[in-house]
Structure formats: C-alpha cells, structure tokens
C-alpha cells in the first residue's frame, strides 16, 4: 500500500472527513484491522486565511509547499491539498516535491466524465468560482461550467468563511444555497460540484434537484484508489456522493 500525504487544516472540519473516508475505503477493500498509511500536515488555518484576505498567494504557496515537502520527507507517495481553494497554489506545491500531487479538479472531471455529465454547476469560494485555476481546469477537461451570478457568488463565499469553516451549519444558509442550486439547474447544469470541502456539511441530496458531486469524497476516493493501486470505481459508494430529489 502506498502512503498518502494530506495537507490539511483548511479547515480541520473537512480534513477530518478526508481521513475518515480514506480509512473507511481502505478497510472495506482490505478488511481486518487494515487502515490507510497517511501522513498529515495540518496547517493553522488562521495563517492561511490571512494570506487569502491579503491576497498574498506567494506566502500561501510557500506555506503549502513546505507542508508538501514535509509529507514527502515523511514517506508520502502522493500529496493531496485538502481544500478546493488552495489549489490556487497547487503548481507551487507540485514544483517543490518529487512525488505527484493529486489535483482535486482532475478527480472531479474524471468522475463527471464517468457519470456522463458535461455541464457542471460549481459552488465554492469566490476565487474557485471566478478564476482559471479551478473552473478553467474543468473547462480544459471538457466541462462546461456554470457559476452563480455576482450576488449569488457573494452569498456562497460569505457562508463558507463566516459559517462553514467555523463549523456553523445554519438552516437559512441551506435555504440560500438551495435557491442558488435551483437556478443553476434551471440554466442547464447537469450536476452540482460542491467545490468547497465544507459545503457537504450543509447541503444534502434532498436539497438539490440535480446530483451532487462532493469534492471531498471524490478526492478522497481517488487518493484511496492510488494508495491501493486499484480502480476508484470499486471504491465509490454512490449514495454518499450523489443524489437528486
């Protein structure tokens, strides 16, 4: 079994789920007392968030690159950044290590292709919804990408950073997201990418008229498949990653 390196803590709420899902999948595949080999670098999200707010992506890149190097020195065979947004510095991390970085957008695009989807709605931090490092990468993988309008993007971003990354799950925010998803579905989106690893804390399959693509679980499944040297099709448990009402 290969060793997975996780760069987490952004926030710890979703990192906890990465660790849980990866270990569940490995245990299901191999049985007995088997668990995944994981190296975890859990960063102080306050430091990372300060870089985001100041727009100092170079400093953020150094923080994550250093964490990636520590994962590699600790024996990791692959590295994951356990957050969608911080893939903004994924190239910095990959350039600093000699092992592969498993990009979350690539895992999502692979899953979309397998499911027959070519048009995806995306909810995430405003940088994720607006910048090329994420939606552009999906587009280059053959996806048509829909995002909310400016007011919707502001609401999605605010709820992520004022509530979800602090562990707060509010019914009124669930209703706000549900309304935004309804509009994306009406515009033609075939599935909804929860492109913030905390959104799965808020949105449930019954809140959406189109299938939900859980970025955290999809990324974790791809990591477990890499570690086991197998095919992630066999690791997927569809009721946990998609649904519709």
């Amino acid at each position: 079994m290969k060793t997975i390196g996780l760069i987490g803590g952004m926030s710890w709420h979703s990192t906890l789920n990465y660790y849980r899902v990866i270990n569940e999948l490995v245990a299901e595949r191999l049985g007995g007392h088997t668990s995944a080999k994981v190296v975890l670098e859990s960063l102080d999200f306050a430091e990372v968030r300060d870089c985001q707010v100041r727009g100092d992506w170079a400093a953020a890149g150094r923080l994550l690159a250093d964490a990636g190097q520590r994962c590699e020195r600790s024996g990791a065979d692959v590295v994951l950044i356990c957050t969608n947004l911080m893939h903004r510095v994924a190239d910095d991390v990959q350039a600093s290590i000699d092992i592969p970085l498993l990009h979350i957008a690539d895992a999502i695009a692979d899953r979309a292709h397998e499911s027959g989807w070519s048009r995806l709605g995306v909810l995430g931090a405003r940088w994720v919804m607006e910048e090329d490092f994420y939606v552009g990468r999906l587009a280059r993988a053959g996806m048509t990408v829909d995002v909310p309008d400016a007011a919707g993007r502001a609401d999605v971003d605010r709820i992520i950073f004022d509530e979800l990354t602090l562990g707060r799950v509010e019914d009124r925010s669930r209703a706000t997201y549900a309304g935004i998803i309804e509009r994306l579905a009406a515009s033609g989106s075939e599935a909804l990418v929860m492109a913030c690893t905390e959104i799965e804390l808020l949105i449930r399959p019954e809140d959406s008229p189109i299938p939900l693509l859980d970025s955290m679980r999809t990324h974790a499944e791809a990591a477990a498949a890499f570690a086991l040297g197998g095919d992630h099709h066999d690791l997927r448990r569809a009721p946990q990653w998609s649904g519709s009402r």
Side-chain angles (χ1 to χ4, degrees), residues 20-102:
R20 176 183 55 79
V21 169
I22 289 169
N23 276 286
E24 285 177 350
L25 293 170
V26 168
E28 287 172 7
R29 171 62 68 85
L30 299 181
H33 295 291
T34 307
S35 58
K37 294 181 178 179
V38 175
V39 174
L40 172 60
E41 280 289 327
S42 188
L43 301 181
D44 178 358
F45 188 37
E47 295 179 8
V48 177
R49 181 61 179 152
D50 180 63
C51 292
Q52 294 171 353
V53 172
R54 291 187 291 106
D56 193 347
W57 296 105
R62 289 191 295 272
L63 283 173
L64 270 70
D66 288 347
Q69 291 171 354
R70 291 192 295 272
C71 286
E72 184 175 18
R73 289 196 299 269
S74 297
D77 298 297
V78 67
V79 165
L80 280 71
I81 300 172
C82 298
T83 157
N84 290 267
L85 170 55
M86 293 314 295
H87 279 76
R88 198 179 193 280
V89 299
D91 289 346
D92 296 326
V93 177
Q94 182 64 87
S96 74
I97 56 180
D98 294 319
I99 56 176
L101 182 146
L102 182 54

Side-chain angles (χ1 to χ4, degrees), residues 117 181 191-194 203-208 210-214 241-244:
W117 301 322
I181 297 169
L192 189 283
V193 180
M194 297 188 289
I203 295 299
R204 307 155 300 187
E206 60 265 30
D207 298 315
S208 175
I210 53 177
L212 299 176
L213 208 167
D214 181 342
W241 65 269
S242 69
S244 61

Side-chain angles (χ1 to χ4, degrees), residues 118-133:
S118 60
R119 185 167 182 173
L120 300 175
V122 173
L123 298 186
R126 63 179 176 86
W127 295 279
V128 167
M129 295 183 287
E130 296 174 355
E131 297 190 10
D132 183 73
F133 75 93

Side-chain angles (χ1 to χ4, degrees), residues 119-121 145-147 180-190:
R119 185 167 182 173
L120 300 175
V145 180
D146 298 319
V147 298
I180 292 169
I181 297 169
E182 292 274 3
R183 291 191 289 277
L184 290 172
S187 74
S189 294
E190 299 168 302

Side-chain angles (χ1 to χ4, degrees), residues 158-169:
R158 173 185 54 78
I159 289 166
I160 287 170
F161 289 110
D162 290 356
E163 298 175 19
L164 298 179
T165 56
L166 299 174
R168 291 173 49 201
V169 178

